[in-house]
Amino acid sequence: MLRYTLNRFHKFQINSYFYKKLFRMRRILLLLFIGFAVSLTSCRNDFEFEPSTGDLRFSKDTVYLDTVFTNIGSSTYTLKVYNRSNKNINIPSIRLGEGEASKYRLMVDGIPGKVFNNIELLAKDSMFVFIETTIDYNEYANNTTTFLYNDKIYFDNGANEQKVELVTLVQDAIFIKPDRPLPTDAKETLNVNGLDDDILGHELTTPEELHWTNDKPYVVYGYALVPNGRTLSIDPGTRVHFHADSGLIVDSSGTLNVNGTLSSDPETLENEVIFEGDRLEPGFADVPGQWGTVFLMSGNDNQINHLTIKNAVIGLLVERANEDQPATPKLNITNSQIYNSSVYGMLAQRSVVNGDNLVINNAGEAGLACSLGGTYRFRHCTFGNHYSTFNQVPVLVVDYLDTEQGTLVADVDAKFENCILYGSSNYGILFDRKGADTNPPTSFNVDLDHCLIKFSDYSNQFTGKELYKFENSTEFDMVFYNQCLYAKTSTENNPEFFAPNRNNLNIIQGESAAEGVAGQAVANSVPFDINGVSRTNAPDIGAYESTVMPE
């Protein structure tokens, strides 16, 4: 036993000696490595910089910061500065022409400021200059609603001085800012529909607040609220810009009248009323989901004519906020367009909506959804959806099933006459009446009369379904198809839109399947298309009469 113990002790001594030796060797190796790195650093020659000779090159001669509203900061713009020479250079100064008084702000070499000295730039290298601005219109305006603000960035001085121009268009605006909580029922409805409910609003009460003109654009923060008993009237040519998570709410007995008129210029739309986001840079022109929605709870006769809605989460949300609301929301909408909605172009629930010459295109869930019951009639409308070529996003959805509760809510009575229902999805229409076998009988009536419908059922999953009896439809069916055209392939009965991905759903003359086949009686009741073109004795299906595609 003693020998065993001594042997164990002897082995422990050997192991301890081995580990101590190994530890000393590791320390020596580490010190050698550090010494080697230090020696390499000490051997490197420091960079030598020569004064700039005025031969810098720039990515732009002029930086246009696009349009900004008064006192709202711009996006950040970039200017790239190149040293094309083989020498490392020192730029003695980079400065704004107006110095510290300039309304522009720069960031050079990671440092914010307006004047910079001794900026080094390696040979064959480049650097970024970041530019922003915030301008108070009232400091510079001269009885105009817009003005140009200019400055310059100077590089170096004397004979070597170089410059880059800065230009910004500043626009005066009327600001509507939040000052009170939204009504609880409105907030809950916005939240259910995927909109931010943690926001404030502003109640429109004065005559000036309830009459929007085209003198200046309006910029809305939060939700502008049309209260009960009041009417918001909007003049032709008015421009309204909504900040992120903002929009317009019309309370249960308020009224909205959008009074746009036909424009002579299809590019400027000078008489159209336009609702869009407050980011004016070209890169945001067609970006969905920049602001919230126009939310109509009102049971009064809301009238919308020649309105363009762009880049919202839901373009138009028409529904009762709660079951206790006595009146059903009502809307008459004509000659209007809704584009680039991240969820729905129009979501109408338990509502009464009449639409003529309405165009909806590009929405993340559906262009038009008539849900949970209601009464709907659309004549000469073009409903497209080219939001994604990968997801099967429908153009039209009609249902009366509360998918959350699994219960039927109200009757559906929907009619589509001389309408185009066509998108990048295989299915232009989807109908849903699930739960009818387990719930009290509820009326589900949908009529499609002289419509052009995209329906490419390649997998035959809808074959024999009672809601899709295209060939043998009778007036007693829940969905009745009368003299409709069906696009069952990409070439069959194609409406031939000009440029659907760019929201141009005009149809090409001589090529569109929609040309000359609309129902005459309905065309007589909607005698002009959305562009003011008279419908002839052989009218076209959809919101547009066919025209020659520009070269």
Side-chain angles (χ1 to χ4, degrees):
M1 183 66 179
L2 178 60
R3 181 180 297 174
Y4 174 80
T5 303
L6 290 173
N7 287 338
R8 289 285 302 276
F9 179 74
H10 182 65
K11 290 179 180 179
F12 175 79
Q13 283 183 315
I14 294 173
N15 290 338
S16 298
Y17 174 79
F18 173 79
Y19 285 121
K20 287 179 181 177
K21 191 79 171 178
L22 179 62
F23 180 74
R24 290 193 187 99
M25 290 177 65
R26 290 179 63 186
R27 283 201 303 175
I28 293 170
L29 288 172
L30 180 61
L31 290 172
L32 287 173
F33 177 80
I34 294 173
F36 179 72
V38 171
S39 67
L40 285 177
T41 303
S42 63
C43 291
R44 188 193 70 182
N45 293 325
D46 290 334
F47 291 118
E48 295 182 0
F49 290 87
E50 298 183 6
S52 171
T53 58
D55 292 326
L56 298 171
R57 296 292 181 264
F58 308 103
S59 58
K60 303 170 186 176
D61 294 327
T62 303
V63 179
Y64 297 96
L65 277 75
D66 297 308
T67 306
V68 297
F69 290 118
T70 180
N71 286 320
I72 295 181
S74 71
S75 294
T76 301
Y77 292 77
T78 58
L79 172 69
K80 200 167 186 180
V81 183
Y82 301 92
N83 175 14
R84 303 291 195 193
S85 72
N86 296 317
K87 299 177 180 180
N88 304 321
I89 62 172
N90 179 290
I91 307 172
S93 71
I94 299 176
R95 66 194 187 283
L96 287 163
E98 296 186 15
E100 296 295 335
S102 178
K103 298 301 180 182
Y104 292 106
R105 301 181 297 276
L106 305 180
M107 179 174 286
V108 177
D109 209 19
I111 302 171
K114 299 185 179 185
V115 178
F116 307 84
N117 296 312
N118 297 317
I119 302 299
E120 296 175 341
L121 187 56
L122 296 175
K124 301 296 184 180
D125 201 359
S126 62
M127 69 177 180
F128 285 101
V129 176
F130 298 100
I131 310 158
E132 296 178 342
T133 188
T134 304
I135 302 170
D136 184 355
Y137 165 87
N138 295 310
E139 290 185 30
Y140 299 90
N142 184 21
N143 298 320
T144 61
T145 57
T146 61
F147 71 95
L148 284 176
Y149 179 74
N150 301 274
D151 201 350
K152 300 176 180 65
I153 306 177
Y154 288 98
F155 296 81
D156 211 331
N157 47 51
N160 295 328
E161 184 177 86
Q162 296 175 270
K163 65 183 179 182
V164 173
E165 302 278 350
L166 303 177
V167 180
T168 304
L169 180 65
V170 184
Q171 190 164 7
D172 194 13
I174 298 171
F175 290 86
I176 298 174
K177 297 183 178 180
D179 55 13
R180 51 161 286 179
L182 289 175
T184 302
D185 50 3
K187 290 179 67 173
E188 291 176 352
T189 303
L190 293 175
N191 183 248
V192 166
N193 288 288
L195 296 147
D196 192 348
D197 69 336
D198 189 24
I199 48 178
L200 300 175
H202 176 78
E203 187 173 304
L204 307 175
T205 56
T206 67
E208 293 78 15
E209 290 180 329
L210 291 165
H211 181 197
W212 293 1
T213 71
N214 58 20
D215 294 337
K216 300 177 182 179
Y218 292 77
V219 181
V220 180
Y221 284 75
Y223 275 81
L225 174 65
V226 182
N228 288 328
R230 300 296 186 95
T231 298
L232 172 61
S233 296
I234 304 179
D235 288 352
T238 301
R239 303 294 188 256
V240 184
H241 301 267
F242 296 97
H243 193 62
D245 300 322
S246 300
L248 175 65
I249 297 176
V250 182
D251 215 336
S252 57
S253 66
T255 306
L256 174 64
N257 288 330
V258 177
N259 303 308
T261 59
L262 182 65
S263 300
S264 60
D265 188 337
E267 296 296 326
T268 62
L269 297 174
E270 76 278 6
N271 294 323
E272 191 92 359
V273 176
I274 299 179
F275 289 177
E276 59 185 322
D278 64 347
R279 300 297 299 270
L280 304 182
E281 305 90 324
F284 287 86
D286 297 309
V287 177
Q290 295 181 42
W291 55 283
T293 187
V294 177
F295 180 16
L296 295 177
M297 298 187 287
S298 170
N300 293 338
D301 290 328
N302 301 283
Q303 304 287 335
I304 293 177
N305 188 36
H306 283 287
L307 169 66
T308 294
I309 299 176
K310 301 191 295 184
N311 308 331
V313 176
I314 299 175
L316 274 172
L317 175 60
V318 188
E319 76 166 283
R320 290 187 293 179
N322 58 67
E323 294 294 338
D324 297 329
Q325 183 176 324
T328 298
K330 297 178 182 178
L331 170 63
N332 295 310
I333 181 168
T334 55
N335 305 306
S336 295
Q337 306 164 79
I338 304 174
Y339 299 134
N340 307 329
S341 306
S342 60
V343 184
Y344 295 103
M346 179 192 295
L347 173 59
Q349 302 191 142
R350 295 171 292 178
S351 305
V352 177
V353 179
N354 296 308
D356 294 342
N357 289 335
L358 174 63
V359 181
I360 300 177
N361 193 40
N362 292 345
E365 294 293 331
L368 170 64
C370 302
S371 183
L372 309 184
T375 302
Y376 310 98
R377 187 178 186 187
F378 295 95
R379 302 180 299 181
H380 279 288
C381 296
T382 298
F383 300 126
N385 200 354
H386 301 81
Y387 191 86
S388 171
T389 57
F390 302 101
N391 298 326
Q392 292 296 302
V393 179
V395 175
L396 168 68
V397 173
V398 179
D399 70 65
Y400 62 6
L401 173 66
D402 186 335
T403 54
E404 291 187 358
Q405 302 298 324
T407 58
L408 301 175
V409 178
D411 292 351
V412 170
D413 187 3
K415 193 163 190 174
F416 301 87
E417 300 170 292
N418 292 351
C419 293
I420 295 177
L421 307 157
Y422 193 100
S424 57
S425 166
N426 289 336
Y427 307 109
I429 55 174
L430 287 178
F431 302 128
D432 194 350
R433 61 184 302 273
K434 293 177 182 177
D437 296 334
T438 58
N439 289 277
T442 306
S443 174
F444 187 92
N445 295 311
V446 180
D447 286 350
L448 295 110
D449 184 17
H450 288 84
C451 291
L452 192 160
I453 304 167
K454 173 79 172 288
F455 207 85
S456 303
D457 188 18
Y458 296 114
S459 59
N460 296 318
Q461 61 176 313
F462 291 96
T463 301
K465 300 290 186 181
E466 61 177 345
L467 301 181
Y468 304 93
K469 295 180 180 179
F470 300 133
E471 308 303 332
N472 301 307
S473 181
T474 72
E475 60 180 321
F476 301 106
D477 289 328
M478 288 174 290
V479 180
F480 176 61
Y481 302 90
N482 179 45
Q483 300 187 55
C484 293
L485 297 177
Y486 306 101
K488 297 182 180 180
T489 68
S490 60
T491 58
E492 181 184 12
N493 291 324
N494 193 312
E496 297 295 348
F497 298 130
F498 275 24
N501 292 327
R502 299 197 301 272
N503 294 317
N504 188 340
L505 300 187
N506 280 274
I507 56 176
I508 302 174
Q509 192 173 86
E511 299 183 25
S512 175
E515 189 174 356
V517 292
Q520 188 66 57
V522 173
N524 291 341
S525 62
V526 190
F528 298 95
D529 79 351
I530 191 172
N531 291 326
V533 177
S534 176
R535 291 194 161 97
T536 65
N537 291 329
D540 301 339
I541 296 175
Y544 300 95
E545 286 291 288
S546 63
T547 186
V548 177
M549 188 173 184
E551 296 182 359

